[in-house]
Structure formats: C-alpha cells, structure tokens
C-alpha cells in the first residue's frame, strides 16, 4: 500500500517539475537539474521506502533552520530563545526586510532568514560549526553529511541581502554576537549536504518525540520536538504555509535546495528532493507529492 501510494505520488510529482524553476540567486544552486526528484518515507518500524533520487546529495538550505532552532532550544531553553525571535508566521518572503525597520521589529519566527540569523547569533557563541555537523549527522542518522564548500562559497559571494538583514538586526540588539561570524555560521548551516533519506530520518525522529525508534536513543527532548513541530506547522513553508497546512496538514519545512521534510506524528518522516521550485521557494513537485500522500494515506492532522 505504502509503496503503491509512494510510486503514484512520484509519477504525479514528475509531471510537475516542468512548471518550477531551480534557485538561481546564487550560481551554484542554478546548476541543479530541475527534473530531479526523489521521495523517501522512514517509518517507526524501521522501514525505509523510496522512489527516485533519494541518495542524491543537495544542500539543506532553510531546513537547517530547524536544526539550529532545536540546538538553541536544548542549550538555552525556550524563554531565552523567544526573547529575540517571535513565533508568528510573517506572510512575507523568506528574505524580506520590510517589517524589520519598524520600531517593534522582533523577527517573526525562527524559520525566516532574520529569525534563523538571531538563532545563529546565539549559537555561534556556544558551539562550533563542527559541533553542528555532528548534531545534523546524529539527528539525520547520516554520517556522511558534510558542508558543501562550493555552495558555501557561492552564497558568501552573493550575500548582500542576508548581510543587510543581519546588520539591521545587530543595530537593534537582536544579534549581539559578531555579525560576520553569525553570517558565516548561518551560511555554513545552509550548506549542509543531505539526501531525501536523511531528511526522512530526521522527520521520523521528530515524529517519535525525539526518540530513534530503532535504538530507543533519546536524541531530542520532548519539549524541543513539540516546539519545533509547531513552528514548522505554522511557519515552515514561508508565505505558502497557510495553503500548505490546509492541503497537506503536516509539520513541514522547505529549503531552496529543493528539500522538504515532513513529520507524521507517531508514525513516519518524509523526505523530498525536487529542486524545481514554485514562486515562494518551495519544491513544486514536492508539494504535489506530499498532498497526494497525505490524501491517500489520510495523514492530515485535522483530516
Ligand atoms: N541560503 C538561503 C538564504 O539564506 C536559504 C533560504 C531558503 O532555503 N529559503 O537565502
């Protein structure tokens, strides 16, 4: 059943890739093949089923925001974390500066660039990027995760907009760490190289309250998982979060590298790779596949 639905979803997704476009805001991401597609489901019984390119490496981009956020919650606790970042969807693009200039301009949430930079400002004074790679490897059950230096360099060379956001946040006291160090940390996190399978694994850990169902290892505290899943549900798909919540109904997070991670509470994690994006920066075929899978398997949280 699961296999059939997955294959059907993949076929539907395949038809959609032509309507999207790969990210071109940095040259390195522009090299992706828009026809690439992969979907992987990791279940609580240790099963991993997939269709398409599930072992192909791509950069995690914004999905790293949930890893940074989780580390910050575990190290600092929610009170400290939410002192400098909000928990409401923004309704604006992920790299928007529009509302930051206003008097009371706490970044909306940890999933938009501004909020993630606040989190990275905290973290770059608490741990090294090597520590973060370790967290990513542990939580994604993928020892091969590394930092893609080409994507890192490409992003660092085209950083005006994110730099503007970070300096504005620094001027207002939301970032107190060194701004360039914060930016480097942020871009390193975006450059983590993952697969659809690693995202499915992380989704499963988030689905199972922070426990790896295979080993029973506690990888994340239940409170962290609850907060991360909630913020993913309301803010994970940028300004498309509302429509996505209605159509798919699963806590999810996308990245401009083409990845999406989805969490099905108690049962499974879903990882997607599909670099053809819609106008909001979400994988166009990924959303199509998730909608199909959610409908056919009755996964909508309020369905
Ligand atoms: N590296 C990207 C940026 O900061 C991440 C954004 C995304 O994946 N939506 O602009």
């Amino acid at each position: 059943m699961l296999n059939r639905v997955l294959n059907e979803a993949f076929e539907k997704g395949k038809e959609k890739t032509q309507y999207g476009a790969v990210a071109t805001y940095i040259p390195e991401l522009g090299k992706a093949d828009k026809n690439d597609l992969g979907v992987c489901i990791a279940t609580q019984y240790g099963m991993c089923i997939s269709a398409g390119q599930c072992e192909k490496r791509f950069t995690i981009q914004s999905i790293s925001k949930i890893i940074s956020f989780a580390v910050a919650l575990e190290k600092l606790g929610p009170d400290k974390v939410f002192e400098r970042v909000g928990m409401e969807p923004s309704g604006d693009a992920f790299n928007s500066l529009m509302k930051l200039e206003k008097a009371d301009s706490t970044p909306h949430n940890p999933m938009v660039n501004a909020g993630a930079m606040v989190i990275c400002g905290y973290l770059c004074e608490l741990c090294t990027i090597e520590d973060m790679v370790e967290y990513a490897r542990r939580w994604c059950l993928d020892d091969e995760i590394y930092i893609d230096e080409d994507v890192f360099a490409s992003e660092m060379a085209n950083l005006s907009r994110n730099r503007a956001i970070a300096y504005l946040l620094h001027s207002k006291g939301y970032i107190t760490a060194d701004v360039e160090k914060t930016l480097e940390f942020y871009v390193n996190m975006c450059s983590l190289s993952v697969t659809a399978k690693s995202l499915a694994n992380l989704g499963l850990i988030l689905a199972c309250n922070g426990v790896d169902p295979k080993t029973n290892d506690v990888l994340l505290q239940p409170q962290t998982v609850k907060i991360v899943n909630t913020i993913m549900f309301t803010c994970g798909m940028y300004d498309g979060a509302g429509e996505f919540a209605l159509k798919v109904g699963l806590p999810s997070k996308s990245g401009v590298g083409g990845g999406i991670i989805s969490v099905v509470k108690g049962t499974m994690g879903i990882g997607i790779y599909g670099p053809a994006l819609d106008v909001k920066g979400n994988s166009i075929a990924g959303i199509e596949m998730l909608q199909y899978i959610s409908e056919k398997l009755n996964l909508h949280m309020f369905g």
Side-chain angles (χ1 to χ4, degrees):
M1 165 80 169
L2 208 54
N3 249 313
R4 181 172 54 80
V5 171
L6 195 76
N7 287 326
E8 286 165 4
F10 182 74
E11 290 312 316
K12 286 199 84 91
K14 266 280 174 205
E15 291 162 21
K16 274 275 170 174
T17 54
Q18 58 180 313
Y19 301 110
V22 301
T24 50
Y25 76 99
I26 59 171
E28 204 53 35
L29 287 182
K31 293 181 183 166
D33 181 345
K34 73 183 249 176
N35 298 311
D36 276 355
L37 195 61
V39 50
C40 178
I41 296 184
T43 74
Q44 90 261 42
Y45 304 117
M47 231 173 35
C48 180
I49 61 164
S50 59
Q53 285 139 310
C54 287
E55 308 277 348
K56 183 155 183 172
R57 298 227 157 241
F58 59 93
T59 51
I60 191 168
Q61 297 297 338
S62 274
I63 303 169
S64 65
K65 289 167 178 148
I66 64 177
I67 296 180
S68 305
F69 183 36
V71 175
L73 287 169
E74 302 248 301
K75 284 194 181 285
L76 298 166
D79 290 348
K80 173 93 182 156
V81 168
F82 287 115
E83 251 171 39
R84 294 185 185 177
V85 58
M87 48 175 86
E88 298 296 339
S90 70
D92 296 323
F94 62 81
N95 59 354
S96 176
L97 286 110
M98 217 147 56
K99 292 181 185 146
L100 290 179
E101 243 311 70
K102 291 207 185 129
D104 177 20
S105 53
T106 314
H108 283 96
N109 61 68
M111 300 294 118
V112 292
N113 290 13
M117 285 179 204
V118 167
I119 301 287
C120 288
Y122 279 134
L123 289 183
C124 71
E125 296 191 320
L126 293 173
C127 45
T128 64
I129 199 66
E130 289 76 24
D131 295 334
M132 297 302 288
V133 173
E134 267 318 302
Y135 281 114
R137 287 180 176 168
R138 200 177 319 147
W139 293 343
C140 293
L141 314 179
D142 176 0
D143 284 339
E144 278 156 43
I145 289 176
Y146 64 94
I147 289 168
D148 183 326
E149 295 297 341
D150 295 333
V151 172
F152 175 81
S154 195
E155 182 114 35
M156 287 307 286
N158 294 277
L159 206 59
S160 302
R161 195 171 180 90
N162 280 332
R163 201 168 250 128
I165 294 175
Y167 276 94
L168 194 53
L169 291 170
H170 185 256
S171 77
K172 296 196 155 204
Y174 292 112
I175 292 176
T176 46
D178 180 82
V179 185
E180 289 301 322
K181 199 172 150 196
T182 303
L183 280 164
E184 206 168 291
F185 196 95
Y186 171 82
V187 176
N188 264 314
M189 288 303 292
C190 290
S191 308
L192 290 173
S193 167
V194 294
T195 63
K197 191 172 170 188
S198 12
L199 296 181
N201 287 337
L202 175 56
L204 180 63
I205 306 291
L206 291 170
C208 297
N209 239 354
V211 176
D212 177 351
K214 266 191 192 155
T215 59
N216 280 329
D217 287 345
V218 178
L219 300 180
L220 281 160
Q221 294 309 307
Q223 176 184 249
T224 300
V225 175
K226 178 179 167 188
I227 298 173
V228 169
N229 285 343
T230 307
I231 299 287
M232 277 168 68
F233 190 80
T234 52
C235 312
M237 305 296 282
Y238 307 120
D239 37 340
E243 190 183 347
F244 184 86
L246 204 64
K247 281 186 176 167
V248 180
L250 297 172
S252 302
K253 181 77 201 87
S254 64
V256 287
I260 305 180
I261 177 174
S262 289
V263 176
V264 186
K265 198 170 162 49
T267 58
M268 59 178 93
I270 309 175
I272 303 266
Y273 174 52
L277 308 177
D278 65 15
V279 286
K280 291 178 175 160
N282 298 320
S283 171
I284 194 165
I287 291 183
E288 182 76 11
M289 293 196 294
L290 285 169
Q291 193 180 347
Y292 188 83
I293 294 169
S294 173
E295 262 173 39
K296 291 289 166 190
L297 301 178
N298 243 319
L299 302 180
H300 196 295
M301 284 183 73
F302 308 106

